[in-house]
Amino acid sequence: MDSAAEIDRCLESFFAGRLPFDRLVIALKSLRAAGDQHGAIPERLQYWVDLGRLPVDLQALICTELGLSSRQATQDVLDEPTVPLAGRPAPAPQAPAVALPTGQAMPIGQAMPTGQAMPTGQAMRDRVDEVIVDALIGNFTGLRGRGRGDKSPRDDAALDANLADFRSLRFRRDASNAEAGRARRFELDPRQETRAIGIGTMLKDRFILDSEIGRGGMGTVYSAVDRRRLEAMHRQPYVAIKLLSGDFRRHPDALRTIEAEARKAQDLAHPNIVTVHDFERDGQHPFIVMELLDGVPLDVLLAKTPGKPPPPTMTDAIIRGLCAGLAHAHQCSVVHADIKPANIFVSLQHTVKLLDFGIASATRAGGFDPTTLGGLTLPYASPGMIEGAAREPCDDVYGLACVVYLILSGHHPFSGASAVAARDQRLTAQRPAGLSDQAWTVLAGALAFDPALRPVDAGAFQRAFYGTPPLAG
């Protein structure tokens, strides 16, 4: 076995980000155990130091881990990174440049005074990451700097490999920092392509948009073929894709919150809540993948008989399903924040599904008026939501009460006025015909502008409302 070549291979893998520091040490220990007791390892480490690729503090650390002695191992020095990481100021050159194997020159930082303690723990892990990033950038700039006429397929392959290694390292480091509470802000790259999306478009090389089934301020909903389901011969190869409005590209904070809310919705397994499969992004186009439903939104259903409620059997099924789904969400500490007829889907079997959890609060997190992107519907929003108060389950109860009143009577309780306008004008809702005394008392309390007078959550509303039959006679 050529020990020098094997040591170089291990170090190259380390600098490419493919071999963690602890596994590098294990690999070098294995080489020692295989017969390289005192020769090649310290010599090759020193060779890499002389090249300017391996900082002396890491050389000393490796020697310590291997139980080797080195003329640098006892100096306890810490030099600056050869190439600064993004967001850090570049160090002033302190020494002559040293030619790297790629042909590029890279300055060597000045060593810290002798006696400085070697960094440990997180500081050393950050130092190891910097060494790998420096090496990847050095390899990239070397390959990038060659003229087109001199490039070969091998050069292109090496460039692609280095770029892939660099991206992999960045994301692994970002994940590690996020776990430690040092998450980095990500922004959508404005340089990414902005192709038009429509029928026939394939997203993420997987979802083929088949037909448009809905459109609103937040975006457009399509039925789409899921290639993975199709290839697996699934009986239902279709899913619903909600392609969010392009305006969200200007509000990354809102986009991140919508993604977080979509992740929460994935955990809300309930027959009356739409199943959210995933939150994805194709270039600058964010979208939510959901189950495909067969039916119509409640607002479309009610528009078929304007001013009149649905038949009693359908009315009862819709109200019960709506209460059950929202009560489950509240039990899981999730607030919908935008209860309205358009976000309530009624299947052909009169099963209710709640859609779009957390959209209103997500838009508010972006620092702009949620009504501008359809994230808040004034006739169904509580006074607290309109005035920017923290969202609470009782805010959902207000929207729920408005929808229940609409279903029972065919009209909005305040003729479509916002809660703030209705409060300021001292408007009152009239009792729907046929509603029992207890059910009306509960419904009127849920329509209160003062949150303290409403049921605390949908479960409390459901229990009180159904204490007696909801419809008299």
Side-chain angles (χ1 to χ4, degrees), residues 189-200:
D189 187 350
R191 297 170 297 179
Q192 294 183 14
E193 54 85 19
T194 56
R195 61 178 175 145
I197 301 294
I199 304 302

Side-chain angles (χ1 to χ4, degrees), residues 242 244 254-260 262-263 266 276-281 286-289:
K242 182 155 191 172
L244 297 178
L255 189 61
R256 277 187 285 270
T257 308
I258 288 176
E259 179 170 6
R263 302 300 181 199
Q266 286 181 288
V276 175
H277 297 308
D278 206 354
F279 182 95
E280 265 290 4
R281 198 178 284 151
F287 59 94
I288 299 173
V289 185

Side-chain angles (χ1 to χ4, degrees), residues 26-43:
I26 292 173
L28 294 180
K29 285 182 177 179
S30 297
L31 288 176
R32 284 197 66 199
D36 180 43
Q37 296 294 327
H38 303 290
I41 293 179
E43 292 180 1

Side-chain angles (χ1 to χ4, degrees), residues 168-190:
S168 174
L169 173 67
R170 285 299 304 273
F171 284 121
R172 294 204 311 274
R173 184 176 185 181
D174 286 333
S176 176
N177 287 337
E179 288 182 333
R182 301 189 303 273
R184 173 171 75 91
R185 289 175 60 87
F186 281 85
E187 305 291 344
L188 289 176
D189 187 350

Side-chain angles (χ1 to χ4, degrees), residues 101-176:
T102 59
Q104 293 296 304
M106 197 174 294
I108 301 297
Q110 186 177 27
M112 295 291 288
T114 302
Q116 169 108 8
M118 183 181 297
T120 58
Q122 184 60 46
M124 178 53 73
R125 286 191 291 273
D126 289 343
R127 186 72 180 93
V128 170
D129 284 345
E130 288 176 357
V131 169
I132 299 175
V133 172
D134 293 348
L136 290 175
I137 294 176
N139 289 340
F140 167 75
T141 53
L143 293 165
R144 184 75 171 80
R146 297 180 183 178
R148 290 185 177 273
D150 298 333
K151 293 188 68 174
S152 66
R154 179 176 296 181
D155 294 332
D156 291 336
L159 178 57
D160 291 341
N162 276 280
L163 288 174
D165 288 335
F166 180 74
R167 293 190 187 101
S168 174
L169 173 67
R170 285 299 304 273
F171 284 121
R172 294 204 311 274
R173 184 176 185 181
D174 286 333
S176 176

Side-chain angles (χ1 to χ4, degrees), residues 200-380:
T201 300
M202 183 182 294
L203 301 175
K204 299 295 289 186
D205 196 35
R206 175 174 178 179
F207 303 103
I208 302 97
L209 302 185
D210 182 66
S211 62
E212 181 178 322
I213 57 178
R215 183 180 290 265
M218 301 300 296
T220 306
V221 181
Y222 297 89
S223 66
V225 178
D226 183 348
R227 285 184 58 193
R228 301 295 176 268
R229 291 181 172 218
L230 198 63
E231 293 162 0
M233 296 184 289
H234 198 287
R235 292 185 62 184
Q236 174 52 283
Y238 284 91
V239 294
I241 297 289
K242 182 155 191 172
L243 192 69
L244 297 178
S245 167
D247 291 332
F248 278 96
R249 290 196 292 270
R250 298 197 300 270
H251 303 288
D253 286 335
L255 189 61
R256 277 187 285 270
T257 308
I258 288 176
E259 179 170 6
E261 295 294 340
R263 302 300 181 199
K264 289 181 184 178
Q266 286 181 288
D267 298 330
L268 294 177
H270 191 273
N272 299 115
I273 296 176
V274 68
T275 300
V276 175
H277 297 308
D278 206 354
F279 182 95
E280 265 290 4
R281 198 178 284 151
D282 189 310
Q284 291 195 48
H285 301 283
F287 59 94
I288 299 173
V289 185
M290 304 175 291
E291 65 173 317
L292 183 64
L293 302 174
D294 189 9
V296 294
L298 180 59
D299 59 340
V300 174
L301 178 65
L302 296 177
K304 294 180 179 179
T305 56
K308 297 180 180 180
T313 54
M314 182 185 297
T315 296
D316 186 61
I318 294 174
I319 294 175
R320 286 181 181 275
L322 175 58
C323 290
L326 193 58
H328 176 74
H330 289 173
Q331 188 177 16
C332 297
S333 302
V334 176
V335 177
H336 187 287
D338 195 21
I339 296 293
K340 60 183 179 182
N343 283 338
I344 300 165
F345 198 90
V346 182
S347 74
L348 298 179
Q349 294 75 34
H350 304 162
T351 300
V352 167
K353 295 275 189 175
L354 278 170
L355 315 175
D356 286 352
F357 274 82
I359 295 295
S361 57
T363 53
R364 182 176 295 115
F368 58 93
D369 181 0
T371 61
T372 60
L373 294 183
L376 189 64
T377 308
L378 293 179
Y380 299 92

